[in-house]
Amino acid sequence: PCLMWLCSPFAEKTGKVLGEFCRCYKEQFGVALFNSVRYEIEGTGGPQAQLLHRKVPLEDHVIYSGNIFQYIEENKKWRNRFCVVPHNYGLVLYENKLVRTMPLSPLGHSPGDTPAMTFSPGQAYERELPPRVLVNSAGYKILTSVEQYLELVNNSLPGVTPKSGHSPILKCPTDFPLILWHPYARHYYFCVMTGKEQEKWRAVFQDCVRHCNNGISEDSKVEAPAFTDAIRMYRQSKEQYGTWDMLCGNETQILSNLVMEELLPELRSTIGPRLKGKASERQRTWIQVSDAVYRMVYELAKAQYDAAVGRCEQERPQLESTIRTDMDQIITSKEHLASKIRAFVLPKAEVCVRNHVQPYISSILEALMTPTSQGFAEVREVFFKEVTDMNMNVVNEGGLEKLVEYMEKLSHLAFHPVKMQSCYEKMDQLKLEGLQQRFDVSSTSVFKQRAQIHMRQQMDDAVYTFETLLHQELGKLQGKDDLCKSIQRILERVLKKFDYDSSTVRKKFFREALLQITIPFLLKKLAPTCKGELAKFQELIFEDFASFILVENTYEEVVLQSVMKDIMQAVKEAAVQRKHNLYRDSMVMHNSDPNLHLLGEGVAIDWSEEYSGQPEAEPAAERRRRAKQVVSVIQDDEGALPYGAEALLQPGSPEAREPEQAHPGVPPSPPDAVPPITPRSSIVASPVSGADVPSGAEVPHVTPRSSVPVSPVPGADPPSVSSVPHATPAPPSPRAHVPAEASVPHATPAAAGAQSPSAACHQHSDNEPGQHPQPRATTESGEGVQTEF
């Protein structure tokens, strides 16, 4: 209650910010709708991709699962958790318990028998109990040292730093922590016992962050660009240009970050002086207050944004009818406006480009090209090595029977966080150095994550094309030798297609990145002399077309055109010089496989089901479980606690349930707010304890949606938000209406049979009598930031 009282003064300002944003969104919705309809009528696509694209990459699969220790803030203890990462990249944590087992003799129990303590991995998950915690990791940073974390915490509340010798806010019992830090929301603390496990979990967590950051579906051709353009216009109205690190997550999360960015200074000055106690206690309280305010903002943002979207959708049929009827007149009116603005702005913009941008374009491009091209080269190498190793093993170990096993693993190579890590790490070399300060680029993380999403997509396209072509050839093969030759031949074909598509994707990425860096810089430079004069152009727009033509957007398109020619030329010259294996624009692969894309439209290949005619050494259900796990480190040794859990668990009953209940102030969500995650049959028990089973990681999308204005420039890829592709999103799921609950205060557990506030995230009443309660967990398209049970 005290935290909610502290939140209330900020609700009014939150409403004001959201109201201003919704006004921007309404304006941008009409422009985005017009651009979408115009592209539908006039638009021509770029070069046709040579590789096939998988429609649903990870349906019914689990990325990762295993045991990890989590720090519980409420009782200041570490508890063993069974963590599942389903296909939507949410972190789902289940309770693990010590269980007492009695050794049996042929005659039953003996009086002197002593109960043994054993550990059952994922017991709560296997029993289909609801999870304890769900985390949407959008906006989080993964830290691997307590020192890193303490530095960020100390910076979050200036003037509050524990003195030497005083207890810090967090102590880790091992040397291998994994901390999820967020600038506004609550933090999560984990640890493991070995460096190898820390590396694996870090790769998995980073994949989750990368995917959840990319949270706006690219399938939305109107709402997504309208939203991102409204965000950009709102921030520019506050003199905030350049890239923004917190443009990550779904729409409600991004909008919450926008509000918190404005509230945080006032929150610090209001709450900071009131904090009492030791420095570590004040820091802990500050984190709880920030989290509580963030959840309040989230609820308000969700309600107002949904209402704004609903109003726009009601008007959409009428707007679209007007666009289709008066398309020619709207285009003519817009071109007339653009010509007037161009005559006023272009001379100033060209001088600014010539003096402040043009000399640095080649340097920026080279800084982008080197790590990006190395990353794509590593993707090619990993794919080549995996297929080559598979080919050798298939020939040596058993032909077609082994092929099925290896293809099941290869088919999800792109989503194997550990195997893809060597590709992603290449982007860590990206440094813009002095250019970053010159062009007001707050961080390079936007470009790193965008490139990494492209890498993952290209890897999956290559794998999917390979398995499609191989599947087509299998019926014609006569033996191992034919199989070996076919695999090698198909590999060479796919690599050629990969090289072409890789060049196309990278050139587009370089153009968009250059625009993201230079356009905000130009807008900021030109604002003092140009922005104040734009109002006089409003009279040139017919009132009937005012919903589709905005002076501000047209002005930005003119500025974009002033630098577009130099950017296109720089990328073209790099391709002509064959730098980093880029192809010339004139090189086009026409119909190299005319029927290939028809194959990609067929039913997805299920290798285990289609080619599993041999007798099985294990039950079919268990075999399917093994086939559907991308990576597994499940501990299969039930004779001992993994990770030295005996030392970490506090004395007393291991069954005691810590008070991780939902916040009482959170309203309940509808029963379908959180759909079930992948069934437990998708989890694989690794035959080797802690081993990484190599088997086969966009969604939804730092979200590197472009901060460049929409601009239908003829003959060029539109550098609009909507033109920047996102990772393929997982299948949509119903929105979860409950954000993450605050750390404190916690509700008293409800009595049996009573509906507690935690029912906002799981409803046992949904199950018919006799059914098991379904473990519900989705955090990708659900609007909840994270949910604590």
Side-chain angles (χ1 to χ4, degrees):
C2 61
L3 289 181
M4 298 308 296
W5 175 80
L6 290 172
C7 293
S8 58
F10 300 98
E12 183 179 351
K13 185 169 183 178
T14 298
K16 182 180 178 182
V17 174
L18 292 174
E20 192 172 344
F21 168 82
C22 290
R23 179 187 57 79
C24 292
Y25 179 83
K26 184 178 185 300
E27 292 177 347
Q28 295 301 324
F29 184 87
V31 176
L33 182 61
F34 169 74
N35 289 336
S36 175
V37 175
R38 183 178 182 182
Y39 183 80
E40 175 191 325
I41 296 172
E42 301 177 349
T44 56
Q48 182 181 7
Q50 296 298 305
L51 296 171
L52 298 178
H53 181 74
R54 197 191 308 265
K55 293 180 179 178
V56 186
L58 281 176
E59 190 174 23
D60 298 330
H61 282 74
V62 167
I63 301 293
Y64 199 72
S65 61
N67 301 308
I68 191 169
F69 284 102
Q70 182 192 12
Y71 180 71
I72 310 302
E73 297 177 78
E74 290 71 38
N75 58 17
K76 296 181 173 58
K77 295 180 181 180
W78 291 84
R79 287 288 187 247
N80 203 311
R81 293 287 184 248
F82 179 71
C83 181
V84 177
V85 181
H87 67 274
N88 61 15
Y89 288 89
L91 297 176
V92 187
L93 298 169
Y94 291 86
E95 186 171 13
N96 275 329
K97 293 182 179 180
L98 289 167
V99 294
R100 297 182 182 275
T101 59
M102 186 71 71
L104 295 178
S105 66
L107 299 179
H109 296 292
S110 302
D113 286 341
T114 302
M117 296 296 293
T118 63
F119 181 75
S120 178
Q123 184 192 44
Y125 180 79
E126 290 294 336
R127 291 171 55 193
E128 300 186 4
L129 297 177
R132 297 298 302 276
V133 185
L134 299 102
V135 182
N136 182 316
S137 55
Y140 278 86
K141 289 184 179 179
I142 311 302
L143 308 176
T144 54
S145 77
V146 175
E147 290 73 20
Q148 287 178 301
Y149 175 70
L150 294 179
E151 181 179 355
L152 288 172
V153 170
N154 292 338
N155 292 335
S156 67
L157 192 61
V160 181
T161 304
K163 296 180 181 179
S164 178
H166 287 230
S167 297
I169 189 173
L170 176 70
K171 288 183 180 180
C172 185
T174 76
D175 294 329
F176 308 103
L178 288 152
I179 302 170
L180 273 64
W181 176 88
H182 194 284
Y184 313 126
R186 73 171 300 168
H187 306 158
Y188 291 90
Y189 314 101
F190 304 96
C191 73
V192 291
M193 295 297 290
T194 68
K196 182 178 180 182
E197 287 303 295
Q198 185 189 43
E199 290 175 6
K200 288 182 180 180
W201 279 109
R202 179 172 177 265
V204 172
F205 285 174
Q206 284 181 330
D207 235 15
C208 292
V209 171
R210 188 181 301 116
H211 180 92
C212 292
N213 278 347
N214 209 29
I216 298 181
S217 171
E218 65 173 359
D219 293 335
S220 172
K221 304 301 182 185
V222 177
E223 291 82 1
F227 177 83
T228 49
D229 282 351
I231 289 284
R232 177 171 51 80
M233 289 297 187
Y234 177 85
R235 297 189 78 245
Q236 287 178 186
S237 71
K238 306 295 182 182
E239 304 299 325
Q240 295 173 322
Y241 295 84
T243 57
W244 183 38
D245 285 351
M246 294 309 293
L247 188 69
C248 45
N250 56 45
E251 291 87 344
T252 309
Q253 288 171 311
I254 294 172
L255 196 48
S256 301
N257 295 338
L258 183 74
V259 175
M260 287 298 295
E261 186 179 46
E262 294 200 24
L263 290 185
L264 199 59
E266 184 179 346
L267 187 63
R268 281 198 188 105
S269 61
T270 303
I271 304 299
R274 301 185 183 185
L275 300 177
K276 306 298 180 183
K278 296 180 180 178
S280 60
E281 289 300 320
R282 281 183 282 166
Q283 288 176 336
R284 187 174 290 108
T285 304
W286 166 252
I287 294 171
Q288 294 168 355
V289 169
S290 176
D291 178 68
V293 174
Y294 186 57
R295 295 167 193 275
M296 180 270 295
V297 168
Y298 183 94
E299 286 293 330
L300 295 175
K302 184 183 185 313
Q304 291 205 32
Y305 175 68
D306 287 348
V309 171
R311 290 191 295 269
C312 290
E313 286 298 328
Q314 286 181 347
E315 298 175 6
R316 180 169 180 165
Q318 182 60 43
L319 292 174
E320 190 165 343
S321 175
T322 303
I323 291 171
R324 294 187 183 277
T325 302
D326 301 328
M327 174 65 79
D328 292 341
Q329 293 93 320
I330 297 173
I331 293 175
T332 301
S333 178
K334 182 176 180 181
E335 289 177 349
H336 176 66
L337 173 67
S339 66
K340 296 296 184 180
I341 294 178
R342 190 178 298 112
F344 170 70
V345 172
L346 201 56
K348 302 175 183 179
E350 287 178 341
V351 171
C352 191
V353 169
R354 185 164 58 250
N355 294 336
H356 301 289
V357 175
Q358 199 175 53
Y360 302 99
I361 288 179
S362 59
S363 300
I364 300 173
L365 181 58
E366 186 62 33
L368 289 166
M369 286 198 318
T370 300
T372 305
S373 296
Q374 288 178 357
F376 276 84
E378 182 69 12
V379 170
R380 190 186 196 276
E381 181 63 26
V382 170
F383 172 68
F384 174 81
K385 182 180 182 299
E386 289 291 325
V387 175
T388 303
D389 290 349
M390 179 192 74
N391 199 5
M392 294 175 61
N393 291 333
V394 166
V395 171
N396 295 332
E397 296 179 14
L400 183 60
E401 292 77 12
K402 277 292 179 182
L403 177 68
V404 173
E405 177 183 337
Y406 282 106
M407 284 305 300
E408 278 288 334
K409 298 173 183 178
L410 182 69
S411 63
H412 295 111
L413 175 61
F415 305 95
H416 194 298
V418 179
K419 290 185 177 180
M420 289 294 294
Q421 188 65 14
S422 63
C423 309
Y424 299 148
E425 286 175 348
K426 300 296 183 183
M427 286 306 297
D428 292 338
Q429 305 170 28
L430 178 59
K431 299 285 190 295
L432 295 179
E433 297 175 350
L435 300 172
Q436 190 167 330
Q437 287 72 36
R438 172 177 290 276
F439 291 99
D440 194 23
V441 178
S442 60
S443 171
T444 58
S445 61
V446 172
F447 309 109
K448 290 178 182 178
Q449 293 199 33
R450 182 74 244 151
Q452 289 166 344
I453 289 170
H454 282 313
M455 291 175 196
R456 183 177 66 190
Q457 188 60 60
Q458 287 296 108
M459 174 67 89
D460 191 51
D461 290 351
V463 168
Y464 183 51
T465 306
F466 175 83
E467 66 173 329
T468 301
L469 291 172
L470 180 59
H471 183 263
Q472 184 188 32
E473 288 287 317
L474 285 182
K476 310 172 186 177
L477 304 179
Q478 301 298 321
K480 287 186 182 181
D481 291 342
D482 280 357
L483 179 59
C484 178
K485 292 176 182 177
S486 292
I487 290 175
Q488 185 62 32
R489 185 172 63 253
I490 293 171
L491 173 60
E492 292 172 0
R493 288 173 63 189
V494 172
L495 288 176
K496 289 180 181 178
K497 296 176 184 296
F498 175 88
D499 290 339
Y500 179 82
D501 281 8
S502 166
S503 174
T504 303
V505 168
R506 282 180 290 141
K507 286 190 295 184
K508 189 170 186 289
F509 167 71
F510 297 147
R511 288 193 292 265
E512 289 170 349
L514 284 167
L515 288 169
Q516 281 184 267
I517 293 170
T518 58
I519 294 300
F521 172 80
L522 287 173
L523 292 173
K524 187 175 182 179
K525 279 281 186 183
L526 294 170
T529 57
C530 295
K531 201 165 184 179
E533 302 294 324
L534 295 179
K536 65 183 182 182
F537 295 102
Q538 186 65 40
E539 63 186 23
L540 299 176
I541 303 175
F542 292 117
E543 184 177 354
D544 292 344
F545 303 152
S547 297
F548 317 117
I549 306 173
L550 297 179
V551 172
E552 187 80 13
N553 290 56
T554 308
Y555 160 70
E556 292 190 354
E557 289 176 15
V558 171
V559 174
L560 183 148
Q561 291 166 5
S562 70
V563 74
M564 174 65 84
K565 181 180 177 181
D566 293 312
I567 288 176
M568 298 288 287
Q569 184 63 30
V571 176
K572 182 179 179 180
E573 288 176 359
V576 169
Q577 298 170 15
R578 293 303 303 272
K579 283 186 177 181
H580 305 291
N581 200 30
L582 290 175
Y583 290 170
R584 298 187 184 196
D585 294 341
S586 58
M587 180 177 177
V588 180
M589 296 178 67
H590 291 294
N591 297 324
S592 56
D593 280 300
N595 297 321
L596 179 60
H597 286 272
L598 296 178
L599 292 176
E601 298 297 322
V603 180
I605 303 168
D606 190 328
W607 293 93
S608 60
E609 292 293 330
E610 190 168 347
Y611 294 98
S612 58
Q614 69 276 12
E616 297 178 351
E618 57 186 352
E622 183 68 20
R623 191 171 187 278
R624 284 194 298 273
R625 288 167 63 184
R626 293 184 182 276
K628 290 192 175 182
Q629 177 84 15
V630 178
V631 192
S632 177
V633 291
I634 296 178
Q635 300 293 328
D636 206 25
D637 181 6
E638 296 190 359
L641 292 179
Y643 306 144
E646 303 94 333
L648 285 175
L649 287 176
Q650 300 295 327
S653 172
E655 304 273 343
R657 187 177 183 86
E658 55 276 2
E660 295 181 52
Q661 303 299 328
H663 193 289
V666 177
S669 66
D672 61 348
V674 185
I677 63 168
T678 308
R680 72 180 191 276
S681 60
S682 297
I683 292 292
V684 178
S686 174
V688 180
S689 176
D692 175 21
V693 181
S695 53
E698 242 260 126
V699 192
H701 307 292
V702 158
T703 303
R705 286 170 292 280
S706 174
S707 59
V708 180
V710 176
S711 174
V713 180
D717 291 332
S720 65
V721 173
S722 58
S723 72
V724 182
H726 304 302
T728 304
S733 56
R735 291 182 174 181
H737 297 286
V738 182
E741 283 73 4
S743 302
V744 293
H746 293 277
T748 304
Q755 172 126 349
S756 70
S758 64
C761 300
H762 57 92
Q763 301 271 352
H764 293 284
S765 60
D766 295 344
N767 298 282
E768 297 296 330
Q771 291 183 342
H772 291 290
Q774 290 295 319
R776 303 168 185 268
T778 183
T779 54
E780 175 200 82
S781 58
E783 301 288 337
V785 181
Q786 65 266 336
T787 304
E788 186 88 9
F789 287 85

